[in-house]
Amino acid sequence: MADAVVPGGPLSDIDDPIDLEDVAQGDLQALIDEHKRDGLGPLWFGEIRTAATRVARRYPPAVYARTTSWDEDAIRDLVQDVGERLITKGQIDYICDVANDFGHARALIYRHVKMTLIDRRQRTAVDNLFDRAVQ
């Protein structure tokens, strides 16, 4: 049941296009150069933070952040988890290899924020009720 699509959860809109006015702004080459030089540096963390701030607030923090609000600490924790995911799963290399432009790189970062939220999701009483109803 852990892989099921939760209505209103990050996986339910994983394929939605990113609706950002500034998606094309930025410098892909600067991200790639920083990755080659530093691994995951301030440019990457800035993009991850922007994505985390915009995406996370759409989801209940009690379920996805183990806290009561998306405050600064909760966002910082999510940014760290996304950064860890990008490094440990080799996804930062993947983004650098396949991104056609900055907008594409940013879309992939947003996808990883959503995937990290999915990994962090805590089961709720509704999940348990749903499981029993299915049985």
Side-chain angles (χ1 to χ4, degrees):
M1 189 76 224
D3 293 342
V5 175
V6 177
L11 194 55
S12 65
D13 63 355
I14 195 76
D15 292 326
D16 288 356
I18 296 173
D19 184 24
L20 302 172
E21 65 282 352
D22 58 346
V23 128
Q25 296 176 1
D27 186 356
L28 176 61
Q29 192 57 50
L31 285 175
I32 293 170
D33 292 344
E34 181 181 81
H35 173 59
K36 287 178 183 174
R37 186 180 59 248
D38 302 326
L40 195 65
L43 290 175
W44 280 94
F45 275 112
E47 287 303 316
I48 294 167
R49 180 170 178 60
T50 298
T53 301
R54 290 179 177 174
V55 171
R57 298 191 193 280
R58 296 170 43 193
Y59 305 102
V63 176
Y64 295 97
R66 300 169 204 97
T67 185
T68 58
S69 68
W70 284 111
D71 59 10
E72 185 63 31
D73 289 336
I75 295 293
R76 190 177 311 120
D77 188 46
L78 177 58
V79 168
Q80 290 297 316
D81 286 353
V82 174
E84 179 182 0
R85 176 188 189 85
L86 290 175
I87 292 169
T88 60
K89 296 189 179 220
Q91 294 303 298
I92 192 167
D93 295 320
Y94 175 78
I95 291 170
C96 289
D97 289 343
V98 303
N100 306 354
D101 56 30
F102 185 76
H104 188 199
R106 183 173 269 180
L108 291 169
I109 292 168
Y110 275 69
R111 179 173 289 262
H112 282 289
V113 169
K114 289 181 178 187
M115 298 304 290
T116 302
L117 285 168
I118 292 165
D119 291 344
R120 299 170 108 219
R121 186 176 186 283
Q122 299 290 306
R123 287 186 61 83
T124 65
V126 173
D127 294 322
N128 296 332
L129 288 172
F130 180 76
D131 287 348
R132 285 188 285 190
V134 168
Q135 291 174 357

